[in-house]
Amino acid sequence: ERWAWSPLDVRVWREEARAGRSLEETTGSSAPTAVPTLAPAVIQPTHAPIGIEYVRQSRLEQVVALLINFGSMTFVMYLLRLLLKMAHMQIERIPEYRLKHEAFQSPEDGQNWTWDLVLVTTIKAEDDVKPSEAMRKNSMLRLVELLRKANLETEQFKSQDWKHVIIKVRATAKRLKEQAEKVSMRLRLDEKQVKSRLSEGQPDGSIPGEWLIYPRKDGWIYRGQEMTTAIKDTENQCPYAFYEYMYGEYVGSDDFQSLYQRYALTASIFRSVDRIKLILSILKWPVSDSGVGLALEKLIRQKALAFAYPLHDISELRQVQRKWLVYWAWPWNQPFTRIKDYFGEKIAMYFLFLGHYTAAVMVAAAIGTVFYFITVIQADPNSPSIPFFCVFMALWATLFVEFWKRKQSRFAMMWGMWGSERTAEERPEFTEQSEQTTSPITGDPERYFPPSERARRGIVSTTIIALCGLAVLTVVVIIFFIKANLTARTNFLGTRKSFAAASPTDQPVRNWGIRRQWELVNFATTVPSVVVSLINAIQIFAFEPLFSQLAEILTDYECHRTDTEYEDSLTAKVFVFQFINSFTSYLYIAFFKEYQSQNRALQVSRGYYACIDSCMDELQTQLGSIFISKVIIANVKDIFLPYSKWSVKRLAEMRRKELDEQAEAEARAAEEAAAAEQQPGAA
């Protein structure tokens, strides 16, 4: 074979010769004794170059990896305990709300609730800059006027720091029913009423003896014949009765009011989440049709509103808390129905998926642990058991998706989510950018956005996504070029040895490591792998918020008609961004790195590009480093830092309360002393 020798390799060879050391001393292999000389063309060594012998992962490294994994799990479990503690204490501190106007709270009229929504505006100081056009147009007084014109009740007060005005909003049962009929809101039907009405049927008042809805029971007479029309499941095909989990659009007629299910806590056909949905719908509804005509997200971006958020109903919240905020529970035992009734179907479906995913991962983790210990015992990352685990994971992924489809369909039916997209409202942002026209099919007025403009915006969005993906790929490749260079140049603890070695690139590789008698960890390979993995983790964390914000900007630019279309497009963009950002390094190691090591044209700088000992080892190091880093950093950011801030704030409040009580006690003591001094004089 012909090997290309660089001047640097020859100089290193000569340094070793002058030091009186041979490659036999450093590598234990035979080596050429003559120093190669440079030639204009390709230089051949006297013997075949010696390959670098990398040691396999030591027992100490395996033990350290296990300790890091279990330590990370313990740390996360501890943070979860802190989160539960904070959540319980925050909920317990919420006082029971008492209405000032008891006339509003009337269980007899189906109106047993308090305030549902809050809008917060900012009080501008005298030295503040001139307010924008949006802020002047949507002042606090104008907002309150619009809310009251839409028949919504309001109450305003200033915040404790006197920087904001808080506007509380609620609606009467009558106003909610009016809006529910406008948006064709689907409500759950009362099972007893459905069963009774279907069993009795509905006669046709205009034609005696005829039926608009014939009875679904046996033994009734029609035109002299006994009918058997009862609904029966003789083969046990369905686990639910025909009258269960029925939903229908709201109709304001008095004949239908008893058909809708009533909820005990609100004494109404509306849950708290239904009231919030309807109030938000009123806020977005056109002013010409008794709405408010506000786009809350846009007003917040324009700083015309500081915040907008729904309020908790403490009685319902505590019922969810008792069943859900527990330290230990199986993922399939979460109170999904309570979550759905309080937080809404989307949130409940999200946690239903998490429960399904966690339960499925438990199976994969158990099997994966068995295969992991097999590879540890065999001390071979390319164990013959690995292909069997790959087959298992392929089957697991397929079954996971198929069982989730089944569960999702079942709960969508139980929660009345089928067909909900047909009644979706148009987004205010779409209304602003579209034009009013007439439907060529129905003749009804509708909003129109040109398809050519929509396509142009889609192309622009797709191009930006592709450029961002290319940028991430470039960053990842640069990171691995750095790793290749570090692997060939690591000199940890100053214990250096150097030798020329063969590489799959037809280029000798220069490497420094640590002597075997010192070797507890293969620093020449492990240190660069861990360092570069941490750099990759930092890159992932740095790009995630940037990509999420960019995805929102692009989705807003595309101008989608409904919230469902908007959320689907946003989800697709975030998924693409996160996939490229998180998994590019894994795909590079698994499928591209070995190919790059065998092609000199793909190597922009001198270094060791081949997988060290095994691509499986390197992939394991990369995956473990990034996964543990993400878990720890995410939990610290989402749990530990908020808990620390909350603890400091709580201690400050307790200290302030103690000082207030102490001041009150001293004031009372002073008053009592003054009164005692005055008593003898008065006598």
Side-chain angles (χ1 to χ4, degrees), residues 563-591:
D563 287 332
T564 301
E565 295 178 3
Y566 179 90
E567 292 170 359
D568 290 344
S569 179
L570 179 61
T571 302
K573 291 180 180 63
V574 172
F575 173 79
V576 172
F577 281 146
Q578 298 294 356
F579 180 85
I580 296 174
N581 190 37
S582 300
F583 298 107
T584 302
S585 60
Y586 306 143
L587 297 175
Y588 171 82
I589 295 173
F591 301 106

Short mmCIF file of all heavy atoms in Angstrom, two decimals, residues 563-591:
data_model
loop_
_atom_site.label_atom_id
_atom_site.label_comp_id
_atom_site.label_asym_id
_atom_site.label_seq_id
_atom_site.Cartn_x
_atom_site.Cartn_y
_atom_site.Cartn_z
N ASP A 563 -57.73 28.05 14.21
CA ASP A 563 -56.71 27.70 15.20
C ASP A 563 -56.18 26.29 14.96
O ASP A 563 -55.00 26.02 15.22
CB ASP A 563 -57.29 27.81 16.62
CG ASP A 563 -57.48 29.25 17.05
OD1 ASP A 563 -56.74 30.11 16.57
OD2 ASP A 563 -58.38 29.51 17.89
N THR A 564 -57.03 25.38 14.49
CA THR A 564 -56.58 24.02 14.23
C THR A 564 -55.53 23.99 13.12
O THR A 564 -54.49 23.33 13.24
CB THR A 564 -57.77 23.13 13.85
OG1 THR A 564 -58.73 23.14 14.91
CG2 THR A 564 -57.32 21.70 13.59
N GLU A 565 -55.79 24.72 12.02
CA GLU A 565 -54.80 24.79 10.95
C GLU A 565 -53.51 25.44 11.43
O GLU A 565 -52.41 25.01 11.08
CB GLU A 565 -55.39 25.59 9.77
CG GLU A 565 -56.57 24.93 9.08
CD GLU A 565 -57.13 25.80 7.97
OE1 GLU A 565 -56.54 26.88 7.71
OE2 GLU A 565 -58.14 25.42 7.36
N TYR A 566 -53.64 26.48 12.24
CA TYR A 566 -52.47 27.17 12.77
C TYR A 566 -51.63 26.24 13.63
O TYR A 566 -50.40 26.16 13.49
CB TYR A 566 -52.93 28.39 13.57
CG TYR A 566 -51.81 29.20 14.19
CD1 TYR A 566 -51.21 30.24 13.50
CD2 TYR A 566 -51.35 28.91 15.46
CE1 TYR A 566 -50.18 30.98 14.06
CE2 TYR A 566 -50.32 29.64 16.04
CZ TYR A 566 -49.74 30.67 15.34
OH TYR A 566 -48.72 31.39 15.91
N GLU A 567 -52.29 25.51 14.54
CA GLU A 567 -51.57 24.62 15.44
C GLU A 567 -50.93 23.46 14.69
O GLU A 567 -49.81 23.03 15.02
CB GLU A 567 -52.51 24.11 16.52
CG GLU A 567 -52.96 25.20 17.49
CD GLU A 567 -54.08 24.75 18.40
OE1 GLU A 567 -54.52 23.58 18.25
OE2 GLU A 567 -54.53 25.54 19.24
N ASP A 568 -51.61 22.93 13.67
CA ASP A 568 -51.02 21.84 12.88
C ASP A 568 -49.76 22.31 12.16
O ASP A 568 -48.74 21.60 12.13
CB ASP A 568 -52.05 21.33 11.86
CG ASP A 568 -53.20 20.58 12.51
OD1 ASP A 568 -53.05 20.20 13.69
OD2 ASP A 568 -54.24 20.39 11.85
N SER A 569 -49.82 23.49 11.57
CA SER A 569 -48.64 24.02 10.87
C SER A 569 -47.50 24.31 11.84
O SER A 569 -46.34 24.01 11.56
CB SER A 569 -49.03 25.29 10.11
OG SER A 569 -47.91 25.84 9.44
N LEU A 570 -47.83 24.89 12.98
CA LEU A 570 -46.80 25.20 13.98
C LEU A 570 -46.16 23.92 14.51
O LEU A 570 -44.93 23.84 14.67
CB LEU A 570 -47.41 26.00 15.12
CG LEU A 570 -46.47 26.39 16.26
CD1 LEU A 570 -45.35 27.27 15.76
CD2 LEU A 570 -47.25 27.08 17.38
N THR A 571 -46.97 22.91 14.76
CA THR A 571 -46.44 21.63 15.25
C THR A 571 -45.50 21.00 14.23
O THR A 571 -44.44 20.47 14.60
CB THR A 571 -47.60 20.66 15.56
OG1 THR A 571 -48.47 21.25 16.53
CG2 THR A 571 -47.08 19.34 16.10
N ALA A 572 -45.87 21.05 12.96
CA ALA A 572 -45.00 20.48 11.92
C ALA A 572 -43.66 21.20 11.86
O ALA A 572 -42.60 20.55 11.76
CB ALA A 572 -45.70 20.55 10.56
N LYS A 573 -43.67 22.51 11.95
CA LYS A 573 -42.40 23.26 11.90
C LYS A 573 -41.53 22.97 13.12
O LYS A 573 -40.32 22.74 12.99
CB LYS A 573 -42.69 24.76 11.81
CG LYS A 573 -43.30 25.22 10.51
CD LYS A 573 -43.54 26.70 10.53
CE LYS A 573 -44.16 27.18 9.23
NZ LYS A 573 -45.49 26.57 9.00
N VAL A 574 -42.15 22.99 14.29
CA VAL A 574 -41.38 22.72 15.51
C VAL A 574 -40.80 21.31 15.47
O VAL A 574 -39.65 21.08 15.87
CB VAL A 574 -42.26 22.92 16.76
CG1 VAL A 574 -41.54 22.45 18.02
CG2 VAL A 574 -42.64 24.39 16.90
N PHE A 575 -41.58 20.35 14.95
CA PHE A 575 -41.09 18.98 14.86
C PHE A 575 -39.87 18.90 13.93
O PHE A 575 -38.86 18.27 14.27
CB PHE A 575 -42.19 18.06 14.35
CG PHE A 575 -41.71 16.65 14.06
CD1 PHE A 575 -41.51 15.75 15.08
CD2 PHE A 575 -41.42 16.26 12.76
CE1 PHE A 575 -41.06 14.47 14.83
CE2 PHE A 575 -40.97 14.98 12.48
CZ PHE A 575 -40.78 14.08 13.53
N VAL A 576 -39.96 19.54 12.77
CA VAL A 576 -38.83 19.52 11.83
C VAL A 576 -37.60 20.16 12.45
O VAL A 576 -36.48 19.63 12.40
CB VAL A 576 -39.22 20.21 10.51
CG1 VAL A 576 -37.99 20.37 9.61
CG2 VAL A 576 -40.30 19.42 9.79
N PHE A 577 -37.80 21.32 13.07
CA PHE A 577 -36.68 22.02 13.70
C PHE A 577 -36.05 21.16 14.79
O PHE A 577 -34.82 21.00 14.86
CB PHE A 577 -37.16 23.34 14.29
CG PHE A 577 -37.32 24.44 13.28
CD1 PHE A 577 -38.33 25.38 13.42
CD2 PHE A 577 -36.47 24.54 12.19
CE1 PHE A 577 -38.49 26.40 12.49
CE2 PHE A 577 -36.62 25.55 11.26
CZ PHE A 577 -37.64 26.48 11.41
N GLN A 578 -36.88 20.61 15.67
CA GLN A 578 -36.35 19.85 16.79
C GLN A 578 -35.69 18.55 16.32
O GLN A 578 -34.68 18.12 16.89
CB GLN A 578 -37.48 19.51 17.79
CG GLN A 578 -38.14 20.73 18.41
CD GLN A 578 -37.21 21.51 19.31
OE1 GLN A 578 -36.08 21.13 19.54
NE2 GLN A 578 -37.67 22.64 19.80
N PHE A 579 -36.24 17.95 15.27
CA PHE A 579 -35.64 16.72 14.75
C PHE A 579 -34.24 17.00 14.20
O PHE A 579 -33.28 16.29 14.52
CB PHE A 579 -36.53 16.12 13.66
CG PHE A 579 -35.98 14.85 13.07
CD1 PHE A 579 -36.21 13.63 13.69
CD2 PHE A 579 -35.22 14.87 11.91
CE1 PHE A 579 -35.70 12.46 13.15
CE2 PHE A 579 -34.71 13.70 11.37
CZ PHE A 579 -34.95 12.49 12.00
N ILE A 580 -34.14 18.05 13.38
CA ILE A 580 -32.83 18.38 12.81
C ILE A 580 -31.86 18.79 13.91
O ILE A 580 -30.69 18.37 13.93
CB ILE A 580 -32.98 19.50 11.77
CG1 ILE A 580 -33.82 19.03 10.58
CG2 ILE A 580 -31.61 19.98 11.28
CD1 ILE A 580 -34.14 20.11 9.59
N ASN A 581 -32.34 19.57 14.85
CA ASN A 581 -31.47 20.10 15.90
C ASN A 581 -31.00 19.02 16.86
O ASN A 581 -29.85 19.04 17.32
CB ASN A 581 -32.21 21.20 16.66
CG ASN A 581 -31.31 21.97 17.60
OD1 ASN A 581 -30.16 22.23 17.30
ND2 ASN A 581 -31.84 22.33 18.75
N SER A 582 -31.86 18.05 17.16
CA SER A 582 -31.56 17.08 18.21
C SER A 582 -30.91 15.80 17.68
O SER A 582 -30.11 15.19 18.38
CB SER A 582 -32.85 16.72 18.97
OG SER A 582 -33.42 17.87 19.57
N PHE A 583 -31.26 15.37 16.46
CA PHE A 583 -30.87 14.04 16.02
C PHE A 583 -29.83 14.03 14.90
O PHE A 583 -29.42 12.96 14.47
CB PHE A 583 -32.10 13.26 15.55
CG PHE A 583 -33.11 13.04 16.64
CD1 PHE A 583 -34.30 13.74 16.65
CD2 PHE A 583 -32.87 12.16 17.67
CE1 PHE A 583 -35.24 13.55 17.65
CE2 PHE A 583 -33.78 11.96 18.67
CZ PHE A 583 -34.97 12.66 18.67
N THR A 584 -29.40 15.20 14.44
CA THR A 584 -28.41 15.22 13.37
C THR A 584 -27.11 14.56 13.80
O THR A 584 -26.49 13.80 13.03
CB THR A 584 -28.14 16.67 12.93
OG1 THR A 584 -29.37 17.27 12.51
CG2 THR A 584 -27.14 16.71 11.79
N SER A 585 -26.66 14.82 15.03
CA SER A 585 -25.40 14.24 15.49
C SER A 585 -25.49 12.72 15.57
O SER A 585 -24.52 12.02 15.24
CB SER A 585 -25.03 14.82 16.86
OG SER A 585 -26.04 14.53 17.82
N TYR A 586 -26.63 12.19 15.98
CA TYR A 586 -26.78 10.73 16.05
C TYR A 586 -26.75 10.11 14.66
O TYR A 586 -26.11 9.06 14.44
CB TYR A 586 -28.11 10.36 16.73
CG TYR A 586 -28.31 10.98 18.08
CD1 TYR A 586 -29.57 11.41 18.49
CD2 TYR A 586 -27.25 11.16 18.96
CE1 TYR A 586 -29.77 11.98 19.73
CE2 TYR A 586 -27.44 11.74 20.20
CZ TYR A 586 -28.70 12.15 20.58
OH TYR A 586 -28.89 12.72 21.80
N LEU A 587 -27.44 10.73 13.72
CA LEU A 587 -27.44 10.21 12.36
C LEU A 587 -26.04 10.30 11.74
O LEU A 587 -25.63 9.41 10.99
CB LEU A 587 -28.44 11.01 11.50
CG LEU A 587 -29.91 10.91 11.92
CD1 LEU A 587 -30.76 11.84 11.08
CD2 LEU A 587 -30.41 9.48 11.79
N TYR A 588 -25.30 11.37 12.07
CA TYR A 588 -23.94 11.51 11.55
C TYR A 588 -23.06 10.37 12.03
O TYR A 588 -22.32 9.76 11.25
CB TYR A 588 -23.38 12.86 12.00
CG TYR A 588 -21.90 13.04 11.70
CD1 TYR A 588 -21.46 13.43 10.45
CD2 TYR A 588 -20.95 12.80 12.69
CE1 TYR A 588 -20.11 13.58 10.18
CE2 TYR A 588 -19.60 12.96 12.44
CZ TYR A 588 -19.18 13.34 11.18
OH TYR A 588 -17.85 13.49 10.93
N ILE A 589 -23.10 10.06 13.33
CA ILE A 589 -22.26 9.00 13.88
C ILE A 589 -22.68 7.64 13.33
O ILE A 589 -21.83 6.81 12.95
CB ILE A 589 -22.33 9.00 15.41
CG1 ILE A 589 -21.73 10.29 15.96
CG2 ILE A 589 -21.59 7.80 16.00
CD1 ILE A 589 -21.90 10.45 17.45
N ALA A 590 -23.97 7.41 13.25
CA ALA A 590 -24.46 6.07 12.89
C ALA A 590 -24.27 5.76 11.41
O ALA A 590 -23.97 4.61 11.05
CB ALA A 590 -25.93 5.95 13.27
N PHE A 591 -24.43 6.76 10.52
CA PHE A 591 -24.50 6.45 9.10
C PHE A 591 -23.45 7.14 8.24
O PHE A 591 -23.22 6.72 7.10
CB PHE A 591 -25.89 6.82 8.54
CG PHE A 591 -27.01 6.10 9.22
CD1 PHE A 591 -27.83 6.76 10.11
CD2 PHE A 591 -27.23 4.74 9.00
CE1 PHE A 591 -28.87 6.10 10.75
CE2 PHE A 591 -28.26 4.08 9.63
CZ PHE A 591 -29.08 4.76 10.52
#
